[in-house]
Amino acid sequence: MEPQLGLHELLHVFSFLEARDLLCAAQVDKVWNEASRTKELWRQLCLRRWSSCKASQMTLGTQTWKQYYLRRSELEFRMASGRPGDFTCRALAGHKGEIDNLAYVSTNEYRFDGREKSVVCTISSDGTVRAWDLHEGMELWSSPVQSTPLVHLVTYPRLQLVVTVDETGLIKAWEAENGCEQAAFLLPMYSSTLEACDIPEGPLLLATCAEGAVYTLTVPWLQLLSRVSVFPSNPTSLLCSPDRQWVFVSTPNSDLSPEVFYTQSLLCQSEEETPTSATLPIWLTSRACWAPDEAARLMVMHRNDNGMQLVITTYELGTKKSRDRADILAQQIASFLLPDTMMPPHLMKSHGSQVILLVSGSELVLFTIHGLQLVAFQDHQRPITSMWVDQTRVITSSFDLSLRVYMWNKENKFPVLKSCYHLLGGSHRCASGFTHVESDGMTIVGVETRNIGTSILRSYYFQVQCG
């Protein structure tokens, strides 16, 4: 090429290329090869493809952004193909009752040095909390049997902490590395919801109980910061926004309108200070979710004014600050009626900023926030029991003893979901189906319920070569 481009001009041209074109450019000559390996080019490719990708995720063994991009792309290819040789399946047994909940406690979501680890914690009707290494297929530790069954579980991977609550409302914090009990706090009644909330001011635990109050506790010592009565004498649920700055509080299927709280205002300890909140003008709320790619976009499923039809309304939240306090502004940006032919959904999640995923029976249906139906899947033979959604895939579990894996294609105006393959559980003679599914970057884990009243974990580990 005459005249020859300087390095600055070459890098500017290369910044418009996709990964495949950049790899081709590296074959031209020594100068182009060195320019194509520039850290910033591959960092931008990673950020464009994975919006959540940050430098903190570049773990040991991944020396460059280029290596990270190529290895994570290979991992996604393996997860999209589902070929038997691309993953290892393990069954992990130990609980003497049914597993009621599970959550990952490992922090290294994407690690490609051969020392990656995926650890999950589980609670069971047998009264124990346990930790499991999914790669090695082994139990790491088990707590002593608790006097009352455990009902909820949340984890703090950064702190290596597990928090549980039992049927009486007793909250306990456990060290994730060894299962040692660290702190405890007793709610006045049984708990409806636990939410881990890690904000700049420090990690918090939000808990609700049957008396209709929201409790804010410090982590890890579980000291009470505030108690806010929201729906007196009504079971209350809550849901934190992705950035943990907002908390949606509701009492399901009630004529009481849900509320949204500004998380920072829940840190006050004075009874004279009222937390900042806003009441949404809807009722008979049944489901809600936050848009993961927006700071404060909330989708709520509720009944219309006559109580006959299901509606999904989307709100954009913000604050208006005055001298004394900040007021919450909730602006409705979209709303639509669900089809009359659709059974009331029992699962609801969101993807990106525009897509809502609903599960009704054995059917998975995708809508935009304005009500355009994008696609419907009926891949399962029996009802879907849970759904995992992230920026690359969707995984559903079902009583038909299978996990269904879907992958996102984001080349169009709206993301397109492609149905890829099933991951099968054990024998129908021994098991009654999957009840939960979770995933991190490299593993998928499902809870398989056995016919004898117990549960096992079934994990699928997708391995990427380190070289």
Side-chain angles (χ1 to χ4, degrees):
M1 181 180 293
E2 295 291 344
Q4 189 174 17
L5 292 177
L7 179 61
H8 179 77
E9 292 79 10
L10 200 57
L11 290 177
H12 178 71
V13 173
F14 282 2
S15 68
F16 296 96
L17 301 182
E18 295 299 327
R20 180 179 298 180
D21 302 320
L22 205 54
L23 292 172
C24 291
Q27 308 300 314
V28 173
D29 58 27
K30 183 178 179 180
V31 175
W32 283 38
N33 182 278
E34 291 181 356
S36 70
R37 291 185 293 169
T38 301
K39 172 183 175 180
E40 185 61 21
L41 292 175
W42 290 96
R43 189 180 80 88
Q44 290 300 323
L45 283 173
C46 288
L47 293 174
R48 286 207 301 266
R49 181 160 178 175
W50 305 292
S51 59
S52 62
C53 186
K54 299 177 182 178
S56 61
Q57 292 176 286
M58 298 291 288
T59 52
L60 294 175
T62 302
Q63 300 299 319
T64 67
W65 283 99
K66 178 180 178 181
Q67 290 173 324
Y68 182 93
Y69 185 96
L70 296 178
R71 289 167 179 167
R72 188 166 173 181
S73 298
E74 180 190 347
L75 174 64
E76 291 187 0
F77 173 78
R78 292 183 178 222
M79 296 198 83
S81 63
R83 296 174 302 192
D86 285 340
F87 64 88
T88 301
C89 177
R90 298 184 185 275
L92 296 83
H95 278 298
K96 296 179 175 60
E98 293 189 0
I99 297 173
D100 295 315
N101 207 343
L102 77 159
Y104 280 86
V105 74
S106 47
T107 56
N108 50 336
E109 183 179 1
Y110 292 100
R111 186 167 180 165
F112 305 105
D113 61 351
R115 291 184 290 177
E116 57 273 3
K117 181 177 287 188
S118 291
V119 177
V120 297
C121 289
T122 55
I123 56 172
S124 166
S125 59
D126 64 13
T128 65
V129 52
R130 303 181 188 227
W132 312 81
D133 186 325
L134 300 184
H135 294 179
E136 299 297 328
M138 60 182 291
E139 179 183 306
L140 297 176
W141 54 262
S142 174
S143 73
V145 176
Q146 305 299 292
S147 59
T148 307
L150 304 170
V151 292
H152 295 296
L153 162 83
V154 294
T155 59
Y156 295 79
R158 184 175 62 85
L159 301 177
Q160 285 297 282
L161 195 73
V162 184
V163 178
T164 62
V165 65
D166 66 18
E167 288 183 345
T168 67
L170 179 60
I171 300 174
K172 288 187 177 183
W174 312 81
E175 294 181 18
E177 293 182 353
N178 52 33
C180 291
E181 183 181 328
Q182 194 164 359
F185 180 88
L186 181 62
L187 295 170
M189 301 178 71
Y190 72 86
S191 174
S192 306
T193 319
L194 290 182
E195 278 279 303
C197 189
D198 204 346
I199 61 175
E201 289 76 10
L204 303 173
L205 176 71
L206 301 179
T208 61
C209 64
E211 65 172 353
V214 176
Y215 289 78
T216 305
L217 308 176
T218 64
V219 172
W221 303 114
L222 302 182
Q223 296 176 332
L224 181 64
L225 285 177
S226 67
R227 175 192 176 277
V228 179
S229 180
V230 186
F231 303 115
S233 303
N234 286 277
T236 303
S237 63
L238 54 85
L239 188 65
C240 288
S241 62
D243 63 1
R244 305 307 190 199
Q245 296 300 308
W246 306 90
V247 183
F248 174 76
V249 184
S250 65
T251 177
N253 300 311
S254 166
D255 56 2
L256 298 173
S257 297
E259 296 201 25
V260 178
F261 286 84
Y262 190 45
T263 305
Q264 197 170 27
S265 71
L266 295 174
L267 303 180
C268 63
Q269 300 186 39
S270 171
E271 294 184 0
E272 298 177 357
E273 297 182 63
T274 303
T276 304
S277 67
T279 302
L280 301 182
I282 53 178
W283 64 310
L284 293 175
T285 303
S286 56
R287 308 268 173 232
C289 61
W290 295 90
D293 286 0
E294 297 290 337
R297 180 168 292 182
L298 174 68
M299 296 89 156
V300 186
M301 185 189 304
H302 60 96
R303 293 283 175 178
N304 63 355
D305 291 340
N306 61 23
M308 299 299 293
Q309 289 182 286
L310 282 173
V311 183
I312 294 182
T313 301
T314 302
Y315 294 95
E316 203 79 56
L317 303 176
T319 57
K320 181 180 180 181
K321 294 185 179 180
S322 60
R323 177 181 298 180
D324 299 328
R325 57 174 294 146
D327 295 320
I328 296 179
L329 303 176
Q331 179 183 1
Q332 178 180 318
I333 62 172
S335 187
F336 70 94
L337 292 170
L338 288 179
D340 293 333
T341 55
M342 188 176 185
M343 292 174 53
H346 60 279
L347 296 173
M348 178 180 178
K349 293 286 182 74
S350 177
H351 173 76
S353 60
Q354 299 282 330
V355 178
I356 300 170
L357 298 92
L358 301 175
V359 169
S360 176
S362 60
E363 185 177 42
L364 170 63
V365 187
L366 276 64
F367 291 93
T368 69
I369 61 173
H370 298 284
L372 173 64
Q373 182 172 321
L374 299 175
V375 68
F377 299 99
Q378 290 185 317
D379 295 317
H380 287 290
Q381 302 301 312
R382 297 191 62 192
I384 295 172
T385 54
S386 68
M387 172 172 53
W388 170 264
V389 181
D390 64 18
Q391 62 181 159
T392 60
R393 62 199 177 279
V394 174
I395 309 166
T396 54
S397 66
S398 170
F399 284 131
D400 65 10
L401 203 53
S402 75
L403 306 176
R404 187 71 185 179
V405 178
Y406 305 83
M407 301 295 292
W408 292 107
N409 183 339
K410 302 180 182 180
E411 296 178 357
N412 301 314
K413 179 181 178 181
F414 295 109
V416 176
L417 194 62
K418 176 185 176 183
S419 179
C420 295
Y421 55 90
H422 282 299
L423 293 171
L424 300 179
S427 168
H428 283 276
R429 292 178 296 177
C430 303
S432 57
F434 283 108
T435 56
H436 300 77
V437 64
E438 298 279 337
S439 179
D440 64 1
M442 308 182 96
T443 61
I444 298 172
V445 59
V447 175
E448 183 180 307
T449 301
R450 317 293 278 181
N451 294 330
I452 56 176
T454 63
S455 297
I456 66 168
L457 293 179
R458 193 168 292 278
S459 69
Y460 307 85
Y461 168 40
F462 294 77
Q463 190 170 10
V464 175
Q465 298 298 323
C466 298

